[in-house]
Structure formats: structure tokens, C-alpha cells
Amino acid sequence: MIAQNLQKIYDEIPADVTLVAVSKTRPVGDVLKAYEAGQRIFGENKVQEMAAKYEELPKDIEWHMIGHLQRNKVKYMAHFVNMIHGVDSLKTLKEIDKQASKHNRKINCLLQVKIAKEDTKFGLTFQETENILNSVELKKMTNLKVIGFMGMATFTENESQIQEEFASLKTFFDVHKNQHELQVLSMGMSGDYDLAIKQGSNMIRLGSSIFGSRNYNT
Ligand SMILES: *Cc1c(COP(=O)(O)O)cnc(C)c1O
């Protein structure tokens, strides 16, 4: 099933859209099935779980941290993580830069921008995002690069609302793209990735549409 699900998605999405297979809560065996079907980019939302999978799985996998990040956990992934999607403060950027420098690495980061109207989501306002992009502090960080934004739409059936939220981030991305050399706009999950791609996303994060629905035991 996993290989077939992936193939269907590969056939469906444009060539310039990158697929992050969200493997949180899935056993290593499931990740391997996706790997054997050609998938090389995987996303996790817990640092420990990602680090354990990194140890066990082939080393040509690119690991993306997509969840809300605790600063004190950055050190457990700084030696291998390829991209961190959910950065929402200068303090977190500083910690990523510091930990990456210990390993002589440069970690790609996305600023998480709040586009959903619901109150529960993490993320920066547009103004806070601009402040970080223009900050002197960011320019001094040589072991990371902010290469784009991540956004999550409201969990709703209202498609026009979802579209508007994605479109607002695309517009903001386009305004800043050239000056700040941004490349990645990470928007879209299993339930809304078609809408996200129509609104200009070039990176989607899919879990359940690849691996089936998740069982959370906790
Ligand atoms: C879990 C998760 C996803 C994937 O969700 P699905 O609905 O299973 O596709 C995408 N992005 C983030 C930030 C997530 O936590």
C-alpha cells in the first residue's frame, strides 16, 4: 500500500513540488517501504524519535523536523537534521546556529508563519517574520540559512478560507523571496495539499495519505 500511495502522489504533484513523507509514529519498517519506493525525504515532529530512526535507517535519507521545537532538544539532531520547518523565534535560531557550528554544519531553516485564524497554532506574525529576516543577529549566524517559510491552514471544511490563508503566505513569500534568497514554501498536508499547491506551495508534508491514518496511543 505504501509504495502504491506514494506512486499515486508522485504522479499527481508537479515536478517542482518536493514531497516530505511524514513518518511520525510509524515504525522503521514503514519508513523502509517508502524508502524502497524511492522516497528520500522524511519528516518527524519529535526529536528523539527522529534521532532513533536516523540511527537505524540508510544514511542518504534527508531528515526534516516539522514539529514545534524545544530549544533544549536541538543538540540531539544538529549532527544530521537537514531542514527545520517550525522555527518561530530568534532565540531558537541562535540555538540552532550554535549547535550546528559544533558539527561544522549549515542547517536549513524555515520560519513558521501563523496564517490560520484559529488561535491554537504556533507561528510568527508577518511583522515578526520580517523583523527576524531583517535582523542583524540573523546575518551573523553562519551555521544556518533561513530558506523559506512554513504555514498551516485552519482545520476547516471551508475551502475558500484555506485558500485565502495559503495565498496570504504565498504573497508574503514573493515579496521577500529575492531580497532574502528564499526558496522553500512549505504548505499543505494530506487534507489540503492540492489547495496548497494551487496557491504556490513547493513543499508538501504528507503523512496519512502515504502511511494510512495514525493511531495515537497517548
Ligand atoms: C503530522 C503533520 C503533518 C502530516 O499530517 P497528515 O495529515 O498526516 O498528512 C504535516 N505537517 C505537520 C507540521 C505535522 O505535524
Side-chain angles (χ1 to χ4, degrees):
M1 265 322 263
I2 291 173
Q4 284 156 288
N5 291 343
L6 265 175
Q7 196 52 55
K8 199 169 148 266
I9 295 161
Y10 291 149
D11 290 344
E12 193 179 296
I13 64 176
D16 61 341
V17 174
T18 301
L19 171 64
V20 179
V22 177
S23 49
K24 62 188 185 195
T25 77
R26 316 290 177 172
V28 161
D30 283 7
V31 182
L32 265 181
K33 279 185 199 149
Y35 179 88
E36 279 154 15
Q39 183 63 25
R40 289 295 178 275
I41 306 177
F42 292 89
E44 292 280 338
N45 70 341
K46 296 222 164 67
V47 174
Q48 283 95 333
E49 185 177 343
M50 182 170 76
K53 285 174 177 163
Y54 163 75
E55 288 301 328
E56 275 191 66
L57 286 157
K59 291 297 172 283
D60 61 340
I61 288 179
E62 219 181 80
W63 290 100
H64 289 206
M65 172 46 56
I66 62 168
H68 186 71
L69 197 56
Q70 287 168 278
R71 267 193 295 283
N72 60 355
K73 305 259 171 81
V74 173
K75 56 179 174 291
Y76 303 117
M77 62 176 177
H79 56 296
F80 70 92
V81 69
N82 184 273
M83 199 183 296
I84 301 176
H85 289 229
V87 183
D88 66 356
S89 75
L90 207 47
K91 265 182 156 176
T92 301
L93 285 169
K94 275 183 195 152
E95 178 65 12
I96 295 168
D97 188 53
K98 179 178 148 193
Q99 297 300 335
S101 76
K102 293 182 183 168
H103 303 279
N104 261 313
R105 298 189 68 232
K106 196 160 186 152
I107 297 176
N108 295 317
C109 295
L110 305 180
L111 298 177
Q112 184 169 351
V113 185
K114 185 182 160 73
I115 52 171
K117 295 203 176 67
E118 55 196 15
D119 235 22
T120 52
K121 300 269 160 87
F122 295 105
L124 300 154
T125 64
F126 289 132
Q127 185 61 58
E128 290 166 338
T129 308
E130 280 176 6
N131 293 348
I132 291 178
L133 286 175
N134 294 322
S135 68
V136 186
E137 288 101 321
L138 181 63
K139 289 184 181 74
K140 288 188 211 146
M141 297 179 196
T142 50
N143 290 89
L144 62 76
K145 188 151 176 38
V146 171
I147 59 163
F149 305 137
M150 189 267 249
M152 281 194 268
T154 304
F155 189 72
T156 171
E157 299 282 300
N158 184 344
E159 289 202 353
S160 62
Q161 182 183 345
I162 297 171
Q163 266 168 13
E164 266 171 45
E165 292 175 357
F166 285 147
S168 71
L169 190 51
K170 170 67 159 103
T171 303
F172 185 71
F173 178 79
D174 285 342
V175 168
H176 293 284
K177 161 171 87 175
N178 292 333
Q179 190 190 346
H180 297 286
E181 299 175 334
L182 306 178
Q183 303 154 46
V184 175
L185 184 55
S186 169
M187 309 191 294
M189 309 175 30
S190 292
D192 58 17
Y193 70 93
D194 49 336
L195 296 174
I197 291 171
K198 280 194 200 118
Q199 298 306 323
S201 166
N202 63 14
M203 185 172 282
I204 55 175
R205 311 174 310 271
L206 307 188
S208 40
S209 54
I210 299 169
F211 297 105
S213 56
R214 270 181 303 276
N215 288 315
Y216 288 106
N217 296 313
T218 46

